[in-house]
């Protein structure tokens, strides 16, 4: 029942709300797609700071089923009430003839074409981006799923100290979304993602080498993992719209988000498996380091592909 209700029901609902609000927001700001995407996804990241203390208090003072009921009912009313004041972005705003849409040309843009999802999935760049998203989200989802037990096992933290670690991770996740959105508008999505993958690689190696005596390594690695994960999620809505157009971005970004789902499955499963076999979490960070290297390679390939495309068009 938990798999059906929480796993499938809540998972589907999160995807519907997240995908539609992010894609619609990005459409309103064709000249600042990165910033818009970063701000709206930062709100998503901020929820992981607000909700856990509330859920913990409900579970501690009442029962886990009570927590599910209360949070579910409150969320239902908030989401439904908010839906009445959200407006779909008018076509004239997101249209390629809008002066704002052409105000900032970035190196990732492959022209003013508005791709449908059928056209998008026929493009090799789509698969490169999807795999890049998987690599960018891998380390973050791997750590977020096990943040409390990681802190307790690796560093000997108490449950209360581990809860603080989770909050710190969530805070830097939110900050990463804000910063990366602004960076992608200024330096391009691929340049921003390169910085993110370098940061993720360094963070993974710090966490691999850390132990109870290296508290600084742990906190620096953890905050960098959260920041880089948030950075990936803040960059990709605008990145998708820049390459495949804004008009169909709700559907296109929803399909692109499959890369996030891949990471959400692989990251926690690999970490659990490694911890079960070795009795340690540290070796899993070597795997996340490899994913960071793979992401960097994919970005370089992507840039070469887009350059070839532009030369062919010209």
């Amino acid at each position: 029942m938990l798999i059906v209700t929480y796993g499938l029901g809540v998972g589907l609902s999160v995807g519907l709300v997240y995908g539609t609000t992010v894609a619609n927001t990005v459409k309103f700001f064709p000249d600042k797609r990165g910033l818009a995407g970063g701000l709206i996804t930062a709100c998503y990241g901020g929820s992981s700071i607000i909700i856990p203390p509330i859920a913990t208090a409900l579970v501690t003072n009442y029962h886990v089923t009570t927590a599910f009921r209360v949070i579910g009912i409150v969320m239902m009313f908030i989401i439904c009430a908010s839906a009445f004041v959200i407006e779909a972005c008018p076509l004239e705003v997101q249209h390629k003839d809008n002066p704002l849409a052409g105000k900032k040309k970035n190196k990732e843009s492959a022209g003013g074409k508005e791709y449908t999802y059928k056209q998008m999935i026929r493009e090799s760049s789509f698969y490169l981006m999807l795999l890049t998203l998987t690599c960018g989200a891998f380390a973050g989802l791997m750590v977020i799923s096990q943040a409390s037990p990681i802190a307790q096992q690796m560093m000997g933290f108490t449950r209360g100290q581990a809860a603080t670690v989770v909050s710190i991770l969530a805070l830097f996740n939110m900050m990463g979304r804000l910063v990366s959105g602004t960076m992608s508008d200024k330096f391009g999505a691929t340049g921003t993602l390169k910085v993110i993958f370098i940061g993720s690689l360094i963070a993974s190696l710090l966490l691999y080498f850390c132990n109870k005596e290296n508290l600084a390594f742990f906190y620096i690695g953890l905050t960098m993992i959260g920041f880089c994960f948030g950075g990936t999620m803040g960059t990709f809505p605008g990145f998708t719209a820049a390459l495949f157009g804004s008009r169909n971005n709700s559907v296109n970004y929803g399909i692109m988000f499959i890369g996030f789902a891949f990471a959400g499955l692989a990251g926690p499963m690999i970490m659990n498996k490694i911890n079960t076999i070795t009795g340690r979490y540290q070796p899993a960070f070597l795997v996340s380091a490899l994913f960071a290297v793979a992401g960097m390679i994919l970005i370089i390939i992507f840039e070469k592909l887009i350059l070839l495309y532009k030369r062919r068009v010209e």
Side-chain angles (χ1 to χ4, degrees):
M1 184 57 70
L2 188 66
I3 291 172
V4 172
T5 55
Y6 184 76
L8 297 179
V10 176
L12 178 62
S13 300
V14 169
L16 288 169
V17 174
Y18 181 88
T20 52
T21 51
V22 169
N24 190 55
T25 303
V26 169
K27 290 177 183 178
F28 273 101
F29 304 96
D31 61 328
K32 288 183 173 63
R33 293 188 181 103
L35 178 60
L39 284 169
I40 196 72
T41 58
C43 295
Y44 175 87
S47 67
S48 58
I49 302 174
I50 298 169
I51 299 301
I54 297 172
T56 301
L58 287 170
V59 172
T60 302
N61 295 307
Y62 299 98
H63 193 267
V64 65
T65 53
T66 303
F68 276 128
R69 292 190 187 107
V70 171
I71 293 173
I73 291 169
V74 171
M75 292 300 177
M76 180 181 70
F77 279 108
I78 291 174
I79 292 168
C80 292
S82 300
F84 283 104
V85 297
I86 294 175
E87 296 181 5
C89 182
L91 286 175
E92 59 268 22
V93 175
Q94 52 184 292
H95 197 271
K96 65 181 181 180
D97 294 333
N98 176 10
L100 288 176
K103 187 177 179 181
K104 283 189 176 181
K105 296 291 184 182
N106 58 57
K107 61 184 178 182
E108 294 92 21
S109 178
K113 183 178 177 180
E114 298 286 348
Y115 288 79
T116 64
Y117 79 91
K118 292 181 180 179
Q119 293 171 320
M120 181 183 73
I121 61 176
R122 289 198 292 265
E123 296 290 326
S124 56
S125 55
F126 163 74
Y127 296 97
L128 285 173
M129 289 174 66
L130 187 143
L131 291 173
T132 301
L133 177 56
T134 300
C135 292
F138 180 88
L141 290 173
M142 183 180 78
V143 172
I144 287 170
S145 69
Q146 307 287 326
S148 181
I150 286 171
Q152 292 178 61
Q153 186 189 108
M154 286 176 56
M155 308 305 294
F157 287 177
T158 64
R159 186 175 296 181
Q161 290 172 326
T164 303
V165 166
V166 174
S167 297
I168 292 172
L169 183 65
L171 176 64
F172 277 85
N173 175 13
M174 183 175 71
M175 289 172 58
R177 295 167 190 255
L178 290 170
V179 173
S180 68
T182 306
M183 283 181 61
S184 64
D185 283 332
K186 189 171 183 179
F187 303 109
T190 54
T192 302
L193 286 168
K194 284 180 181 178
V195 174
I196 287 169
F197 282 123
I198 291 171
S200 185
L201 174 61
I202 294 170
S204 296
L205 293 176
L206 286 173
L207 289 170
Y208 173 73
F209 286 110
C210 82
N211 51 46
K212 293 179 182 179
E213 287 72 43
N214 291 328
L215 194 61
F217 276 20
F218 178 75
Y219 276 115
I220 294 171
L222 186 86
T223 53
M224 287 179 68
I225 286 285
F227 190 89
C228 292
F229 169 67
T232 301
M233 304 317 299
T235 301
F236 256 83
F239 191 16
T240 306
L243 196 68
F244 300 113
S246 297
R247 182 173 299 175
N248 303 304
N249 198 44
S250 298
V251 177
N252 292 348
Y253 183 62
I255 295 172
M256 185 69 71
F257 213 63
I258 293 171
F260 178 90
F262 287 159
L265 283 171
M269 286 175 62
I270 290 172
M271 173 156 270
N272 277 328
K273 191 70 173 177
I274 288 174
N275 185 50
T276 301
I277 294 171
T278 66
R280 300 169 67 242
Y281 283 114
Q282 281 90 334
F285 294 110
L286 285 181
V287 179
S288 65
L290 290 175
F291 269 82
V293 173
M296 178 67 75
I297 293 170
L298 287 168
I299 283 294
I300 293 171
I301 295 172
F302 176 88
E303 287 183 328
K304 299 293 184 183
L305 184 70
I306 293 301
L307 184 61
L308 288 173
Y309 173 86
K310 287 185 174 182
R311 285 176 178 173
R312 188 170 71 244
V313 170
E314 291 170 357

